[in-house]
């Protein structure tokens, strides 16, 4: 189950970032929906592993997504799903049957030809006529923050699945959804710049911590730093629409602090 979890973690990321790489439209929405289903599979599997007295981690192999066309991407995702099915244990199990059924449907959808070019990896570094100073600030922010949001997703998920407190678990659920939204927002901007990439692996020490209070206090400081980065970027980027976007993200980060303080009060 742990090995299957790791492989499905890779598949989740391939669907997720594949959806960001495609031009906006029905195909991209389908891949994003499939990524959300794969993430749900991971939560169900993680919960079962923990309830059985075991544990899981977020280690993974390389996640290649830099394809040049929709056809290449669909072919690679189809290969991943077919390889994944070979890892399922043979015994009958409702969870395993549900996951296999989902992925067989995904595989059928991926057989539809998708003849569209992908420019999310060509490093053209051009967006709305931004000047070099604005562009440099934007690129640095997106690279750092996309990793941070991925790190938070896996950390909050791990913490949620190891929590016995329902109210704390609900807060983690909110934080996961928020980080998924931020990751999507930042990744789509990266795709427009031609610099889309999968974040690096999160080290076990980040999410396997012994002191939840310290983790939350550190997290609050990180959110404050992210707020300041958003503020500075809003001022540095010479584009009104982008400035409004980063002010909007800044406001959301403020509420993340409130959510984490709620957990601290609960503890």
């Amino acid at each position: 189950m742990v090995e299957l979890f790791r492989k499905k973690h890779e598949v989740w990321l391939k669907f997720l970032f594949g959806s960001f790489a495609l031009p906006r439209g029905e195909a991209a929405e389908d891949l994003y929906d499939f990524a959300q289903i794969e993430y749900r599979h991971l939560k169900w599997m993680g919960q079962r592993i923990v309830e059985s007295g075991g544990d899981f981690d977020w280690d993974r192999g390389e996640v290649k997504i830099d394809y040049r066309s929709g056809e290449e991407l669909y072919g690679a995702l189809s290969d991943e799903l077919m390889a994944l099915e070979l890892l399922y244990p043979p015994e009958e199990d409702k969870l395993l049957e549900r996951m296999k059924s989902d992925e067989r449907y995904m595989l059928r959808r991926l057989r539809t030809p998708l003849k569209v070019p992908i420019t999310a990896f060509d490093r053209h570094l051009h967006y709305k006529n931004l000047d070099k100073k604005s562009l440099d600030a934007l690129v640095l922010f997106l690279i750092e923050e996309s990793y941070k949001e991925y790190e938070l997703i896996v950390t909050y998920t791990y913490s949620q699945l190891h929590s016995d407190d329902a109210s704390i678990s609900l807060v983690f659920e909110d934080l996961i959804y928020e980080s998924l939204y931020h990751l999507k927002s930042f990744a789509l901007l990266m795709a427009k710049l031609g610099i889309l990439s999968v974040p690096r692996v999160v080290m076990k020490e980040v999410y396997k911590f012994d002191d939840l209070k310290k983790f939350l206090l550190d997290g609050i400081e990180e959110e404050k730093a992210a707020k300041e980065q958003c503020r500075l970027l809003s001022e540095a980027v010479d584009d009104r629409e982008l400035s409004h976007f980063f002010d909007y993200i800044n406001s959301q980060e403020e509420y993340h602090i409130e959510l984490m303080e709620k957990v601290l009060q609960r503890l």
Side-chain angles (χ1 to χ4, degrees):
M1 187 68 81
V2 171
E3 181 58 33
L4 181 61
F5 183 94
R6 288 182 181 178
K7 186 62 181 175
K8 284 177 71 66
H9 177 194
E10 296 171 14
V11 170
W12 165 53
L13 290 175
K14 288 182 180 181
F15 271 104
L16 187 64
F17 281 82
S19 77
F20 301 149
L22 288 176
R24 297 299 85 201
E26 183 179 354
E29 291 174 6
D30 280 347
L31 290 196
Y32 187 75
D33 287 343
F34 294 161
Q36 296 295 79
I37 291 170
E38 287 292 347
Y39 172 72
R40 201 169 303 126
H41 290 181
L42 288 171
K43 288 188 70 173
W44 292 335
M45 292 174 67
Q47 183 179 18
R48 174 175 289 189
I49 291 168
V50 171
E51 288 176 348
S52 67
D55 202 3
F56 64 92
D57 59 51
W58 292 103
D59 285 351
R60 55 175 170 82
E62 180 185 5
V63 177
K64 174 179 168 57
I65 57 161
D66 54 341
Y67 301 102
R68 300 301 174 185
S69 70
E71 284 180 304
E72 284 187 22
L73 174 61
Y74 269 27
L77 290 172
S78 296
D79 290 343
E80 289 292 330
L81 290 178
M82 288 187 286
L84 185 59
E85 185 159 8
L86 298 176
L87 293 177
Y88 284 101
E91 63 265 18
E92 291 187 10
D93 180 285
K94 290 190 181 297
L95 172 58
L96 298 178
E97 289 304 318
R98 160 63 194 267
M99 295 191 297
K100 287 190 287 187
S101 174
D102 286 347
E103 286 160 359
R104 286 167 186 156
Y105 176 75
M106 295 176 196
L107 192 56
R108 283 194 290 272
R109 292 296 297 270
L110 291 171
R111 291 185 179 130
T112 303
L114 184 66
K115 296 184 178 181
V116 297
I118 293 177
T119 61
F121 313 105
D122 64 9
R123 305 188 67 80
H124 57 268
L125 288 170
H126 176 78
Y127 184 68
K128 299 181 68 173
N129 296 316
L130 290 181
D131 57 44
K132 187 176 186 306
K133 180 182 176 182
S134 297
L135 193 60
D136 288 347
L138 178 61
V139 168
L140 180 62
F141 176 87
L142 292 174
I143 291 172
E144 290 180 350
E145 290 301 300
S146 62
Y147 169 75
K148 189 203 85 169
E149 298 299 347
Y150 168 63
E151 178 188 279
L152 289 175
I153 292 164
V154 300
T155 301
Y156 291 141
T157 302
Y158 185 86
S159 298
Q160 183 187 44
L161 295 177
H162 287 78
S163 174
D164 295 324
D165 188 310
S167 62
I168 291 177
S169 180
L170 284 173
V171 174
F172 284 138
E173 187 81 2
D174 284 335
L175 289 167
I176 291 165
Y177 284 136
E178 293 282 281
S179 288
L180 280 167
Y181 173 68
H182 285 190
L183 177 60
K184 179 180 180 181
S185 300
F186 300 152
L188 289 176
L189 277 173
M190 293 174 77
K192 289 178 180 178
L193 290 162
I195 58 169
L196 182 64
S197 61
V198 176
R200 64 187 182 276
V201 175
V202 180
M203 303 302 291
K204 291 185 181 70
E205 293 77 12
V206 173
Y207 54 87
K208 290 192 175 185
F209 48 80
D210 297 322
D211 189 337
L212 180 55
K213 287 185 180 180
K214 182 179 185 305
F215 164 74
L216 290 167
L217 289 169
D218 290 344
I220 288 171
E221 292 306 311
E222 283 188 16
E223 293 289 355
K224 289 178 179 177
K227 276 175 52 61
E228 180 63 11
Q229 282 185 299
C230 280
R231 185 187 68 79
L232 293 173
L233 189 59
S234 177
E235 295 175 356
V237 172
D238 186 21
D239 180 87
R240 180 174 295 180
E241 184 180 343
L242 277 177
S243 293
H244 288 327
F245 169 72
F246 287 111
D247 288 340
Y248 159 67
I249 295 296
N250 189 1
S251 177
Q252 293 187 340
E253 300 284 10
E254 180 67 35
Y255 190 64
H256 296 173
I257 294 172
E258 174 70 17
L259 289 171
M260 285 188 281
E261 287 177 342
K262 183 185 293 187
V263 176
L264 278 171
Q265 292 169 6
R266 177 74 176 177
L267 291 173

